[in-house]
Amino acid sequence: MDFKTLLDKQDFDIEDIVRLLDCNPAEEALLFAKADEVRLANVGNGVYGRALIELTNYCKKDCYYCGIRKSNKSVERYMLDFEQVKYAIHLASDSGIGSMAIQSGELSSPEFTDFVIRILNYAKSIDPNLGITLSCGEQSPETYKKWFDAGAERYLLRIEVSDEETYYNFHPNNELHSFQNRLSCLQSIRDAGFQTGTGVMIGLPGQTVESLAKDVVFMRDFNIHMCGMGPFIPCNGTPMENAKSPFEDLVGMSLRMIAVMRIVMKDINIVASTAMETIHPQGRSRAIQAGANVVMPNVNPLEHRKKYKLYEKIPTGIIDSVDSLINAAYAPIPEGYHLILNQKGTAPHYLKEHLI
Ligand code: 5AD
């Protein structure tokens, strides 16, 4: 089958996806053009913005790739206080960006659960229309339900690596890092009613085009509403600090993963991740051109931003006003696309599932 015919298929198997990911430069141009066509037909040329706060870098886990893993003693730990979070909520609300995302290391104390509830209650009290995404790791079904009931609508938990055996090359093999638990958390997230997001890292040692194709199929079969993927970037002070990418062109492979996800899942939300920008100066713009439709400008206080280092990040500007937030959201958006304001930014994939 020629590449163009392949692109027009409605159902893709692993072999098809391998071919899409493993294409030559001429085919890659066709892949990106198809992804853009699918994107325009299903989610339009708008890009949703989420004001991102990184609530805490305390984490009970020890994932080998992550800069804020528990064993990394060189990390100065912080927890934003309520006033700092309030400031970010007001910024997000006043700007009309429509939604915010709250990301954190993984903590499961009752105090942390309640702190998140307090934040959600406050956000909902000042702006019931603000969409809120949580990304606070593996929790009990009860905690997910509590957070959903308090007003969070979306939850992002990356599976990171969708193959159980390979998962343990990058995580300690113990109860705290159980692949099965991560899977059942994803299910609990969906059961709690959240718009559910997952994703993987691209460029982990030993990863193959075939394993990435399986990741795509995993996400499709789980029928997710949102996808957050990005390149793996080795982080100093972690067991994987010297790891090498198996892909010569990591930028290209990451973009092709976005394009393939757009073609395979059509109407989901896909993030143009900060990690993309870290490996390429126009990484997020190119991600948008390849099919991504969400940007997440970071509104954390600058002093803490440096401490939330999952990998070596490039420094970004201060966001401390409505104008700077909107400018930061606009910055990566290429010509032909625009920032959508005053909407929560729910993926059509979720709306269709729930309105029928
Ligand atoms: N490089 C790229 N992404 C990373 N993450 C964690 N560590 C790294 C790294 N070194 C990703 C994980 C996690 C998300 C918040 O950041 O996928 O889910």
Side-chain angles (χ1 to χ4, degrees):
M1 193 186 300
D2 76 354
F3 199 77
K4 265 197 162 152
T5 317
L6 176 66
L7 281 171
D8 286 333
K9 275 184 83 167
Q10 289 307 312
D11 287 309
F12 297 89
D13 59 25
I14 301 261
E15 229 173 273
D16 298 330
I17 297 172
V18 166
R19 256 193 86 194
L20 295 179
L21 291 173
D22 211 13
C23 58
N24 65 38
E27 292 169 337
E28 187 185 67
L30 295 175
L31 176 76
F32 291 159
K34 181 70 185 181
D36 199 43
E37 182 191 315
V38 171
R39 174 244 183 69
L40 292 177
N42 291 277
V43 298
N45 66 348
V47 175
Y48 297 124
R50 323 261 183 243
L52 169 69
I53 59 168
E54 295 157 335
L55 188 57
T56 176
N57 64 356
Y58 282 98
C59 190
K60 64 176 185 185
K61 295 185 101 171
D62 234 349
C63 311
Y64 299 149
Y65 45 83
C66 186
I68 63 166
R69 66 199 298 270
K70 189 178 183 196
S71 300
N72 192 350
K73 301 291 180 227
S74 67
V75 175
E76 197 189 321
R77 305 284 167 170
Y78 73 88
M79 169 84 72
L80 296 192
D81 63 34
F82 194 55
E83 290 306 309
Q84 289 169 317
V85 177
K86 270 167 74 175
Y87 183 83
I89 292 171
H90 281 278
L91 206 55
S93 177
D94 295 346
S95 69
I97 198 167
S99 71
M100 68 184 298
I102 301 171
Q103 202 179 85
S104 75
E106 198 171 299
L107 294 177
S108 49
S109 64
E111 292 74 21
F112 182 71
T113 309
D114 289 345
F115 186 42
V116 174
I117 291 174
R118 189 175 168 214
I119 292 168
L120 293 168
N121 286 338
Y122 182 80
K124 289 284 138 175
S125 74
I126 66 139
D127 187 351
N129 292 321
L130 192 67
I132 302 180
T133 308
L134 292 179
S135 189
C136 303
E138 292 171 36
Q139 303 288 342
S140 67
E142 294 72 34
T143 299
Y144 287 137
K145 193 77 194 123
K146 277 188 194 167
W147 287 348
F148 181 79
D149 290 343
E153 288 162 281
R154 313 181 179 119
Y155 205 103
L156 180 68
L157 181 73
R158 289 189 181 179
I159 193 74
E160 316 290 2
V161 177
S162 70
D163 174 67
E164 181 160 14
E165 230 172 272
T166 320
Y167 189 85
Y168 294 108
N169 294 343
F170 308 107
H171 303 89
N173 192 344
N174 59 31
E175 220 171 293
L176 191 57
H177 299 81
S178 148
F179 176 81
Q180 284 303 328
N181 191 57
R182 203 160 184 86
L183 261 188
S184 71
C185 281
L186 259 183
Q187 190 57 51
S188 307
I189 288 166
R190 173 185 280 283
D191 294 345
F194 284 107
Q195 295 163 45
T196 304
T198 193
V200 295
M201 280 178 288
I202 300 153
L204 292 166
Q207 207 169 37
T208 60
V209 179
E210 173 143 85
S211 47
L212 286 176
K214 287 182 182 161
D215 290 338
V216 171
V217 168
F218 170 85
M219 292 189 266
R220 181 192 63 194
D221 291 350
F222 201 84
N223 199 15
I224 55 168
H225 311 108
M226 323 182 297
C227 176
M229 298 181 292
F232 161 64
I233 303 164
C235 182
N236 291 336
T238 66
M240 290 177 65
E241 62 184 0
N242 297 316
K244 294 269 173 296
S245 166
F247 309 117
E248 214 173 290
D249 177 13
L250 182 58
V251 176
M253 188 55 87
S254 304
L255 292 171
R256 292 196 291 278
M257 276 293 280
I258 289 174
V260 168
M261 274 309 290
R262 174 58 68 206
I263 293 167
V264 170
M265 293 209 68
K266 297 186 172 53
D267 53 0
I268 61 169
N269 281 345
I270 303 178
V271 183
S273 68
T274 322
M276 282 301 301
E277 194 93 345
T278 309
I279 61 164
H280 188 282
Q282 279 87 46
R284 285 182 305 164
S285 301
R286 293 189 58 188
I288 292 168
Q289 286 162 328
N293 68 328
V294 175
V295 291
M296 296 171 64
N298 189 324
V299 300
N300 241 34
L302 203 58
E303 51 172 321
H304 297 307
R305 231 187 289 169
K306 293 186 201 119
K307 298 175 203 158
Y308 199 88
K309 213 167 76 171
L310 309 181
Y311 47 83
E312 307 302 324
K313 281 193 204 167
I314 43 155
T316 47
I318 303 174
I319 297 179
D320 58 359
S321 65
V322 162
D323 281 352
S324 53
L325 173 55
I326 294 300
N327 287 341
Y330 251 112
I333 300 182
E335 224 184 291
Y337 306 85
H338 67 275
L339 183 68
I340 299 174
L341 291 171
N342 301 310
Q343 281 188 36
K344 278 186 185 177
T346 302
H349 194 71
Y350 181 87
L351 292 175
K352 286 178 201 159
E353 207 175 272
H354 287 77
L355 292 179
I356 296 166

